[in-house]
Amino acid sequence: MSAVNILMDTPETGIYRLTVNRPKQLNALNQQTLEDIRSAVQDLAQAADARVLIVTGSGDKSFIAGADIKQMQAKSAVEGQRFSTLGLSTVQALSDLPFPVIAAVNGYALGGGCELALACDWIIAAEHATFGQPEVKLGVPPGFGGTQRLPRRIGSARAMEMIVSGNTIDAQTALSWGLVNHVYPADQLLAEAMQMARTLSKRAPLAVELSKKLVLDGADLSLEQANSMENRAFGLAFATDDQTEGMRAFIEKRKAVFSGR
Ligand code: CAA
């Protein structure tokens, strides 16, 4: 079934772009949109040529202004929990992709929009971007992972302030708090995302995949367990053609050409 509320394109070989496309609703995440994203991302996980995903929103005002409040407002407790389960599995699918995912936040990233950006490996933002977890203003806590990913990304005190106050922060504050890696003028955001994606797509794919997994999985382990996992992954990498090629290319003073094997 083709997606209704998202656009997926491939601006260059290996570089995919997912655009949430409900600009009149500021790209709010209703059930259909979440299902579209999850399904597209699960398909992308099987695409052998994929090296990077850029996630952004349609229009120039909003990345994603949160879960769709109009659709949520009449839900029962059971339906609310199911909606959260859908949102959690959708953002987890992004996090699980075996290659880097960059959120290019082009405006509001509120509630579920901030949570979706947090499931990406890092965030770059336009100067006018706004971040927040305003759920407490609606009578609910965050439901797509914000109470867990936000403190892991920026520390518990700042995350707690954002989550329990519901106040928003601007792009410069998000940059200084470590929520955002880089801030760019709005008209340069996607070009900068593409430039970064090109760089990433030249790296050894299996080493990138292993590195991403080590950072994410290691965060919830003891330092000793996480280092032991890194130790095994480092050894495993020596069984790849990419290790042979990468090190040989260095010694031969040429650019490596990686096969992803
Ligand atoms: N859900 C549904 N519709 C939304 C929406 C949302 N989250 N955010 C914006 N819209 C709709 C508006 O209802 C409006 O539609 P109509 O033209 O049909 O009235 C349209 O998008 C444009 O929005 P505004 O007129 O409100 O635009 P604005 O510039 O005046 O304000 C805004 C922009 C500050 C982002 C404001 O729209 C807003 O506060 N939106 C809600 C933000 C929010 O609370 N997000 C969290 C949702 S809860 C959640 O996400 C739970 C979770 O953790 C999973």
Side-chain angles (χ1 to χ4, degrees):
M1 203 171 65
S2 64
V4 179
N5 291 328
I6 63 163
L7 306 168
M8 182 71 98
D9 66 341
T10 316
E12 288 175 25
T13 307
I15 303 176
Y16 284 74
R17 179 173 53 190
L18 188 160
T19 306
V20 180
N21 189 33
R22 297 183 77 210
K24 284 190 184 141
Q25 291 77 33
L26 304 186
N27 303 319
L29 299 170
N30 62 4
Q31 174 125 358
Q32 178 72 57
T33 311
L34 288 166
E35 285 169 358
D36 286 351
I37 296 170
R38 188 175 61 178
S39 161
V41 170
Q42 284 168 346
D43 286 351
L44 194 56
Q46 308 304 319
D49 70 328
R51 297 286 176 266
V52 187
L53 174 65
I54 297 165
V55 182
T56 194
S58 255
D60 51 15
K61 190 171 169 183
S62 182
F63 174 69
I64 297 169
D68 190 315
I69 301 166
K70 292 166 192 161
Q71 195 182 62
M72 270 189 305
Q73 54 107 15
K75 286 193 187 301
S76 66
V78 170
E79 290 165 344
Q81 187 176 356
R82 284 193 183 133
F83 189 61
S84 162
T85 303
L86 172 63
L88 284 167
S89 68
T90 302
V91 304
Q92 189 61 45
L94 282 167
S95 178
D96 286 344
L97 281 172
F99 45 79
V101 182
I102 304 170
V105 172
N106 56 319
Y108 293 113
L110 302 175
C114 189
E115 291 167 304
L116 189 142
L118 282 165
C120 300
D121 295 310
W122 68 90
I123 301 170
I124 62 172
E127 285 166 343
H128 70 290
T130 305
F131 295 83
Q133 296 290 159
E135 288 88 342
V136 291
K137 295 185 191 166
L138 299 164
V140 291
F144 294 174
T147 61
Q148 302 311 307
R149 284 202 173 86
L150 190 58
R152 281 166 170 76
R153 188 70 64 91
I154 65 170
S156 65
R158 283 169 168 160
M160 189 70 89
E161 180 180 334
M162 285 178 72
I163 290 166
V164 305
S165 73
N167 289 339
T168 57
I169 58 172
D170 62 17
Q172 281 306 327
T173 306
L175 181 67
S176 71
W177 285 11
L179 177 55
V180 159
N181 281 19
H182 306 280
V183 174
Y184 301 109
D187 61 356
Q188 292 169 26
L189 181 68
L190 285 178
E192 293 288 351
M194 283 299 297
Q195 194 53 42
M196 173 60 75
R198 269 179 219 119
T199 300
L200 298 172
S201 67
K202 291 187 194 117
R203 304 300 182 234
L206 291 173
V208 169
E209 178 177 350
L210 283 172
S211 301
K212 169 173 169 165
K213 209 165 166 39
L214 287 167
V215 171
L216 288 175
D217 293 354
D220 293 323
L221 298 177
S222 71
L223 183 60
E224 193 182 357
Q225 288 170 319
N227 276 338
S228 156
M229 193 168 63
E230 183 184 285
N231 171 258
R232 288 190 298 276
F234 189 74
L236 181 66
F238 283 79
T240 66
D241 292 349
D242 284 353
Q243 176 270 332
T244 308
E245 165 64 8
M247 295 194 184
R248 186 176 289 158
F250 174 80
I251 290 161
E252 293 173 357
K253 300 188 188 301
R254 61 175 173 81
K255 282 206 169 123
V257 181
F258 294 113
S259 63
R261 287 193 297 270

